[in-house]
Amino acid sequence: MAANDRCLFCRIISGEIPAKKVFEDDVAIAFNDINPQAPTHVLVIPRTHISTLDDLDEDEANVIGMTIVRATQIARNLQLNSDGYRLVVNHGEAAGQTVFHIHFHLLGGRNFGWPPG
Ligand code: 5GP
Ligand code: ZN
């Protein structure tokens, strides 16, 4: 889907809004969350503008799959893999989604409760 000039994360991808990037390639970018909920809180997002999980179909399987693989590589690079980490997607208002460009929260560096809040 085309970049959306009203979308906060598309504007971070284009560089219009600054962010502390920790990774980027042709499929995905990752940057530190502005309001971290754990010692490590990175947002891993596809460059493609997709609003929510509910907008996915099989055409996006490759880009979403690659974005998840990148998240796991970032987790390994940050040495989160041995202790454990969370990879979270919020869908819709009830789950707390506030930015409507699909993003994976990569959270680590502390213990997490289950069930989540
Ligand atoms: P959601 O609530 O949609 O699952 O997650 C959106 C996330 O984006 C939140 O954790 C929020 O702190 C983060 N966020 C919102 N605005 C900005 C921003 O301008 N820069 C960065 N780096 N993160 C942002
Ligand atoms: Zn977007």
Side-chain angles (χ1 to χ4, degrees):
M1 276 155 248
N4 179 335
D5 59 11
R6 292 183 308 277
C7 169
L8 175 65
F9 287 174
C10 284
R11 293 166 75 190
I12 286 177
I13 290 167
S14 74
E16 184 188 338
I17 293 176
K20 191 131 193 295
K21 286 184 193 163
V22 299
F23 174 85
E24 64 182 316
D25 70 1
D26 54 337
V27 175
I29 80 165
F31 50 91
N32 289 332
D33 197 293
I34 205 169
N35 182 23
Q37 302 301 313
T40 298
H41 187 170
V42 171
L43 301 173
V44 188
I45 74 174
R47 286 188 182 273
T48 306
H49 179 85
I50 304 167
S51 297
T52 78
L53 289 177
D54 199 40
D55 298 297
L56 287 178
D57 62 33
E58 291 182 10
D59 290 345
E60 283 87 37
N62 192 52
V63 70
I64 291 299
M66 289 301 294
T67 302
I68 294 172
V69 170
R70 293 295 177 253
T72 68
Q73 292 167 336
I74 293 163
R76 216 173 293 126
N77 288 342
L78 295 173
Q79 300 183 317
L80 302 176
N81 53 317
S82 53
D83 285 344
Y85 59 85
R86 281 270 167 85
L87 190 62
V88 175
V89 183
N90 298 320
H91 171 72
E93 286 178 19
Q97 183 177 11
T98 58
V99 178
F100 287 81
H101 178 130
I102 284 182
H103 48 282
F104 294 86
H105 295 259
L106 172 61
L107 297 142
R110 67 170 171 87
N111 292 329
F112 298 97
W114 192 264

